[in-house]
Amino acid sequence: MSAMLQDVTFLEGGYCLQSGRMVGEPSWALRRFYATFVYFRHPVHGPALVDCGYGPQYLAATRCLPARLLRWTLPGTTVDRRDAETRWSERGIDRRQIATIFVTHFHGDHIGALRDFEGLPAKYVYRPSERQHLERLGYLAQLCSGYLSSLVPADLEDRGEAIEETAFAPGEGDLAGFRVVDYWHDGSLLLVDLPGHSFGHYGVLLRTADGPLFYVVDACWSVRAMLQGKRLPSPARQAQHSFEEYAKTQEKLRDLARRSDLPIVACHCKSTEARLSPRVGVPPIAAPGEAPR
């Protein structure tokens, strides 16, 4: 029987402004795209995060050219500039108690606050193939891939758990057709290979008391647009590591939605705003827009 994750909470880690049209929505108007991340407690292995959103380190890393181009591409980037202890405690999180941080990919809006945990007990779970790929690139190519090496904790390799590609196995049931890792071997959290957006991008399937939840992170930016097969504009297609793989991943997600009731949640999707909580244990904030699927 699967273990159940507890206190599953969606939190906001800053946001940027971008046109809704860039994610397949009909409007060109600017809207907030929140850097959502997830907190939960495993009944045995303790508190964990899936990514961590932006942090002041991101602003420092993009202060000057050429890295400043990332902030021009994602204008209006808003980050809580206060010290780490204040920022995390106001979310109801003791950084020293976090046991595991799942790094779904190395883009700045997902690892921008990762150094807040440098030197603390948290273990980083990441795919070394992505890290190695990015480190082999030149600086400008890294920027084009959304990667800022200064955001990566110095102790990543020492305290990290590298998920090798051989660990991924064919999924079963709803996840047939995907490659997965049953991380704790109890069915509570599955790492799901979702290629295309970045070199080693993965999502997570969380087993909760309210049922399973498939957090696909950046495999799409609008669940509704993805399920409707909306075509992304050229800049959004070019922002993917491999748009061909990205499109294949989205087709698999559409097939999943046709044959299953498994809820699909994406990091920057407008519907995810309705799941955001200001603090662990506090009910989500109701948000206007498309209803959660």
Side-chain angles (χ1 to χ4, degrees):
M1 182 176 179
S2 297
M4 295 294 176
L5 303 178
Q6 303 163 359
D7 293 337
V8 177
T9 307
F10 285 76
L11 296 161
E12 177 219 319
Y15 64 85
C16 69
L17 301 176
Q18 188 53 270
S19 167
R21 183 66 176 162
M22 297 300 290
V23 303
E25 296 172 357
S27 173
W28 285 99
L30 293 177
R31 72 165 179 87
R32 292 181 181 183
F33 284 83
Y34 288 99
T36 302
F37 62 99
V38 182
Y39 168 93
F40 65 84
R41 282 190 306 109
H42 188 279
V44 175
H45 301 287
L49 298 175
V50 179
D51 295 330
C52 57
Y54 287 115
Q57 301 92 332
Y58 177 83
L59 297 182
T62 57
R63 182 175 294 120
C64 302
L65 288 171
R68 183 79 181 195
L69 293 171
L70 290 179
R71 270 202 264 169
W72 290 347
T73 303
L74 301 170
T77 303
T78 300
V79 177
D80 189 336
R81 299 169 182 260
R82 295 175 298 171
D83 65 277
E85 191 65 30
T86 300
R87 286 185 285 113
W88 289 97
S89 64
E90 287 201 355
R91 293 170 174 142
I93 295 173
D94 182 345
R95 290 179 299 146
R96 294 163 296 186
Q97 297 300 314
I98 297 295
T100 312
I101 302 176
F102 296 91
V103 180
T104 65
H105 61 300
F106 284 91
H107 287 174
D109 54 337
H110 295 264
I111 66 165
L114 200 58
R115 289 184 60 186
D116 286 349
F117 298 87
E118 203 166 32
L120 297 178
K123 172 177 62 179
Y124 315 110
V125 177
Y126 69 102
R127 293 172 83 167
S129 58
E130 179 178 20
R131 168 84 162 144
Q132 293 159 7
H133 165 76
L134 292 168
E135 285 296 317
R136 285 194 293 264
L137 300 177
Y139 181 64
L140 290 179
Q142 288 180 347
L143 288 181
C144 290
S145 298
Y147 178 62
L148 296 161
S149 61
S150 63
L151 299 180
V152 178
D155 56 0
L156 178 77
E157 280 80 14
D158 293 337
R159 288 186 21 245
E161 180 176 354
I163 303 297
E164 301 292 348
E165 299 310 301
T166 54
F168 286 86
E172 300 176 349
D174 287 342
L175 294 182
F178 294 89
R179 297 168 62 232
V180 306
V181 175
D182 184 350
Y183 181 71
W184 279 303
H185 306 289
D186 61 6
S188 64
L189 184 107
L190 305 181
L191 312 183
V192 185
D193 182 37
L194 299 172
H197 177 66
S198 70
F199 185 86
H201 180 271
Y202 69 85
V204 294
L205 190 144
L206 306 106
R207 304 282 183 188
T208 79
D210 296 324
L213 193 66
F214 192 9
Y215 183 47
V216 301
V217 195
D218 280 1
C220 68
W221 292 324
S222 167
V223 173
R224 174 178 291 177
M226 180 272 294
L227 293 179
Q228 293 176 347
K230 298 293 185 182
R231 181 175 173 82
L232 296 178
S234 178
R237 297 196 301 271
Q238 294 175 6
Q240 313 307 325
H241 168 72
S242 168
F243 183 69
E244 180 180 0
E245 290 299 314
Y246 189 72
K248 289 179 180 177
T249 292
Q250 292 199 341
E251 183 52 47
K252 288 200 290 186
L253 291 173
R254 284 190 286 271
D255 177 65
L256 169 65
R258 286 190 289 266
R259 56 185 170 81
S260 168
D261 292 328
L262 180 63
I264 297 174
V265 183
C267 175
H268 305 295
C269 181
K270 185 182 291 186
S271 66
T272 306
E273 295 176 27
R275 296 180 180 269
L276 290 176
S277 298
R279 186 179 175 89
V280 173
V282 174
I285 301 172
E290 61 185 61
R293 183 178 173 274

